[in-house]
């Protein structure tokens, strides 16, 4: 009888935690560029130079402060364009590299990030990262 009550209590606790977790995930807003925006790699290059290159390198090959964008780990199938939006808006916990956490970059808008991402993707294609 006690074992049955514990099983029911554990199941109820699991259900409650699942509901709370799902509600929190649904409330997470993903930054999105303006509807109809055509990301421009040329504009992205200038934005990258002013907001990203200090850590990720002017040549996208990284620095002592941040990882390279020209690396297979950042290919679209592993880090989607949404990952770039979330990184700029919320920052990123260090998980692939040993550079420490990336802080949010509040100075860039979702439109700016779309342009930056277009630039990065164009440069990745030039070196065979697709």
């Amino acid at each position: 009888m006690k074992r049955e009550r514990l099983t029911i209590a554990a199941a109820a606790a699991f259900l409650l935690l699942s509901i709370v977790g799902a509600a929190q995930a649904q409330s997470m807003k993903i930054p999105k560029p303006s509807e109809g925006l055509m990301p421009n790699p040329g504009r992205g290059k200038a934005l990258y130079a002013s907001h990203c290159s200090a850590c990720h390198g002017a040549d996208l090959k990284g620095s002592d402060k941040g990882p390279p964008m020209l690396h297979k780990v950042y290919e679209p199938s592993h880090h989607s364009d949404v990952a770039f939006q979330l990184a700029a808006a919320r920052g990123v916990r260090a998980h692939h590299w040993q550079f420490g956490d990336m802080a949010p970059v509040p100075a860039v808008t979702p439109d700016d990030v779309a342009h930056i991402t277009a630039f990065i993707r164009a440069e990745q294609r030039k070196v065979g990262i697709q």
Side-chain angles (χ1 to χ4, degrees):
M1 187 84 164
K2 282 187 179 183
R3 182 179 237 173
E4 186 176 300
R5 284 184 187 160
L6 285 175
T7 302
I8 291 171
F14 177 76
L15 179 62
L16 179 62
L17 288 173
S18 297
I19 291 169
V20 169
Q24 288 176 337
Q26 288 178 359
S27 68
M28 181 174 79
K29 290 190 176 189
I30 296 172
K32 295 181 183 172
S34 301
E35 191 172 323
L37 178 76
M38 297 296 290
N40 181 315
R43 182 170 165 92
K45 182 177 183 175
L47 289 163
Y48 176 90
S50 37
H51 298 288
C52 313
S53 66
C55 293
H56 295 288
D59 57 3
L60 288 89
K61 293 181 180 175
S63 76
D64 62 344
K65 296 178 189 170
M69 295 288 98
L70 298 181
H71 190 281
K72 192 167 178 70
V73 106
Y74 292 106
E75 69 185 354
S77 65
H78 192 258
H79 279 84
S80 70
D81 295 358
V82 170
F84 287 89
Q85 289 287 350
L86 290 170
R90 299 195 178 118
V92 181
R93 247 183 357 171
H95 58 288
H96 288 297
W97 312 97
Q98 299 299 317
F99 296 101
D101 298 343
M102 177 182 153
V105 187
V108 296
T109 67
D111 286 359
D112 293 339
V113 175
H115 294 303
I116 292 166
T117 304
F119 166 64
I120 292 169
R121 297 299 189 212
E123 296 300 305
Q124 288 174 333
R125 284 190 295 277
K126 287 179 186 177
V127 298
I129 298 171
Q130 298 190 32

